Structures are given as C-alpha cells and as structure tokens.
C-alpha cells in the first residue's frame, strides 16, 4: 500500500475510533448558531511534513473558530508589538480555571493569567485594536489559514448579544488599567475574530505553519518568526485546552488549541492537524477531536513526552 493510502486509512481509523465517544458530548448552547450544530459531525485534516494533505469525514463543513482565534491574536500581537509589550499585560501561566472565569483578576493580581483564557485574549486583542485595523488582523488570519476566510455576521451578532460576561471582565480590566479606554472596540475585534468560519483543512494549514517553525506548507515562506512560534506552542501545550490542558498533555502530548465551535488545531513531528466535532465535553473541548488526536498521536508517535 502506498504511503498516501496508509495515511488516508489512518485518518479513517482515527475517525471510526472517535465516533464511538461522541454521545459523551453536547454542542455548545450559549448562541443559537452553535446550538444548531449537528453533534454527529466529525472530521480531520492533516498536512504531512512533505506537504501532502489528507482528510476524512465532514472536512468541508464550516464552523466558527471561537477560541482558536486566541492563538492568532497572540501571534500577531507578539509580531507587531513585541514580547515585552504583550507579557507586560498578560501572563503565561495556566489558570486551572474554566476559559470564561475571571475570579483571579480579583484574587491573584491584575493581569490575566494567560492569553488563552477569555480575559487574556481580550487583552491581546485590545493591544492589537489600539494599533491596527480589523482588516489588517483578518489579512494575517487569512495567511495563517492559507485561504480567504471571513467572519460570519450572524455568529458575530449573536456573540455580541450573548457577551455579557466577556463585557464584564473587559470593563473590570479597564478599571484596573490592564485595558485602554476603547472597551467596546476591543470586544468588537474579539467577537469578530471568534466568528471567523473555517473547515478542518484551514486548521491543518495553521497547524502546519506552527509545526514547521512558522513557514507556509505550500510555498515555504515565513509567516511567523520561529521565536514567536516557540512561545506560542509552549503556551498551547500548557493552556490550549482550557482547564483540560494538563490531562491533554499527559494523554496526547501535543501543543493544541480548541474552540467552542468544535475545532481543534494541533501540531507535532512536522504535522499540522485540524479536527472538527461539535459535541463538547464539560470543559468545552471537542470529544471526537480529542479522541482523533489521541489515536493519531499514538500511531504517528507524535507525543512529545513518549
Ligand atoms: N466566543 C467564545 C467566548 O468568548 C469563545 C470561547 C471558546 O471558544 N471557549 O466565550
């Protein structure tokens, strides 16, 4: 059997294994667009170190990136403003709390713990919003996904309507001097980036950029400087799966980032991987996506610690 067929079979097997667990999860329900998702959808795309692309399942299905946007805003804030300016405002420690929790803003200092909880992502987004247009941020997002992606206006409007908790933490951070004055503009950028629609191929492209130290898998051009890739992958490993990051690192051992829309981007061993499965566990991570990644990490021997 050819190498390509092997990979296709491996993806099919990973999906078949993961399908058995989907009934353990539920779709997110805080906005109608997510509540309407079909929990049985399941897809995976992979880009190999040689640039070959494979996928299986519902890989043409579009979904909102949600928290995967946090990786993009962190990368672009680091690229445009530098490490000092970013980490002056946001930490790099796991919080151990759910993604939308902001209790530590009151009990453990002013700065959000890391850029992948909502408070931290609103902070990195605010730094960007003070300096660049949303179109520039979207242009960079398209480079990361290797395609002309765009926000869904309906998801965006629903995020704005449901965003009271995010709005509260943003105003709290503004009162502490972590955020500047333009809070509604920061939230607008944050919600808009969460609403960008992609499929698993786009996520695999993003994973491949990270897996290769920042290069495009199609033309080898640098999209992200290697130093920034290494910072971001470290934070993905420790904080990328919310308060499930420790267990994910133990069982799968890869830098990854999930979104409540059902997507996960992961990278390792030169591979970029994107998964989609809107049935989520109690922490907001895709049940099927985690199972697929577990299978692939084992079979391709990607676990960083194995
Ligand atoms: N839009 C969501 C929020 O801000 C994103 C969170 C997520 O994907 N976990 O709450």
């Amino acid at each position: 059997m050819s190498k390509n067929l092997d990979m296709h079979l491996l993806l099919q097997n990973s999906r078949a294994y993961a399908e058995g667990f989907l009934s353990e999860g539920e779709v997110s329900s805080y906005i109608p667009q997510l509540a309407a998702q079909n929990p049985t959808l399941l897809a995976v795309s992979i880009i190999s170190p040689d640039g070959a692309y494979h996928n299986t399942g519902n890989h043409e299905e579009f979904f909102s990136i949600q928290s995967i946007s946090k990786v993009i805003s962190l990368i672009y804030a680091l690229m445009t403003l530098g490490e000092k300016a970013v980490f002056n405002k946001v930490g790099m420690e796991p919080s151990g709390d759910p993604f939308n929790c902001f209790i530590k803003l009151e009990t453990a200092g002013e700065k959000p713990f890391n850029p992948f909880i909502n408070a931290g992502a609103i902070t990195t987004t605010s730094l960007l919003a003070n300096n660049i247009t949303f179109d520039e941020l979207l242009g960079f997002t398209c480079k990361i996904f290797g395609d002309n992606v765009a926000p869904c206006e309906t998801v965006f409007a629903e995020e704005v309507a449901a965003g009271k908790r995010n709005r509260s933490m943003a105003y709290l951070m503004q009162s502490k001097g972590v955020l500047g004055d333009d809070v509604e503009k920061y939230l607008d950028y944050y919600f808009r980036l969460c609403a960008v629609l992609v499929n698993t191929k786009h996520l695999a492209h993003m994973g491949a950029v990270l897996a290769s130290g920042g290069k495009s898998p199609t033309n080898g051009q640098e999209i992200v400087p290697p130093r920034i890739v290494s910072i971001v992958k470290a934070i993905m490993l420790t904080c990328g799966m919310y308060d499930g990051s420790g267990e994910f690192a133990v069982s799968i051992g890869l830098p990854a980032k999930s979104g409540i829309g059902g997507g996960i981007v992961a990278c390792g061993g030169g591979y970029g991987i994107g998964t989609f499965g809107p049935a989520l566990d109690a922490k907001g991570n895709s049940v099927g996506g985690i199972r697929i990644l577990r299978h692939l990490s084992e079979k391709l021997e990607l676990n960083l610690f194995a």
Side-chain angles (χ1 to χ4, degrees), residues 77-272:
L78 289 168
M79 282 173 67
T80 53
L81 304 162
E83 277 176 56
K84 221 171 147 191
V86 172
F87 293 118
N88 203 16
K89 293 282 184 191
V90 62
M92 48 176 92
E93 301 302 335
S95 71
D97 293 326
F99 62 89
N100 57 2
C101 179
F102 57 108
I103 194 163
K104 288 202 170 84
L105 289 177
E106 285 289 63
T107 60
E110 319 277 71
K111 277 201 301 196
F113 260 55
N114 69 68
F116 294 163
I117 51 173
N118 287 13
I122 292 169
T123 303
T124 53
T125 310
S126 78
L127 298 175
L128 290 168
N130 282 335
N131 288 283
I132 62 161
T133 62
F134 185 80
D135 278 352
E136 181 180 339
L137 180 57
L138 185 61
F140 177 69
T141 303
C142 292
K143 278 194 194 165
I144 288 278
F145 289 131
D147 200 1
N148 281 327
V149 296
C152 166
E153 286 303 321
T154 313
V155 172
F156 168 67
E158 290 179 0
E159 292 284 341
V160 172
K164 296 178 184 66
R165 199 177 167 84
N166 287 321
R167 191 162 285 109
S168 314
M169 67 182 85
Y171 277 102
L172 178 62
M173 289 192 290
Q174 198 238 329
S175 77
K176 291 169 178 288
V178 177
L179 298 195
D181 286 335
D182 231 342
V183 175
E184 291 302 325
K185 180 176 168 187
Y186 309 150
L187 289 164
D188 184 285
Y189 274 49
Y190 172 74
F191 291 136
R192 241 177 241 288
L193 205 59
C194 282
V196 166
L197 297 183
V198 296
N199 57 34
T200 51
K201 182 171 182 184
H202 297 125
L203 294 185
H205 185 278
M206 176 177 181
V209 171
L210 296 172
S212 68
K215 295 193 183 67
S216 156
T218 46
N219 61 22
Q221 271 174 10
E222 184 177 291
I223 297 176
V224 184
R227 160 82 190 155
I228 292 177
V229 171
S230 105
I231 294 172
V232 168
K233 287 201 287 196
I235 301 179
M236 286 169 75
L237 183 85
T238 53
C239 311
M241 304 296 282
Y242 315 125
D243 44 334
S245 300
E247 187 181 343
F248 187 89
V250 168
S251 59
I252 292 160
L254 292 175
K257 182 77 203 82
S258 62
I260 209 160
I264 304 178
V265 57
C267 56
Y271 291 89

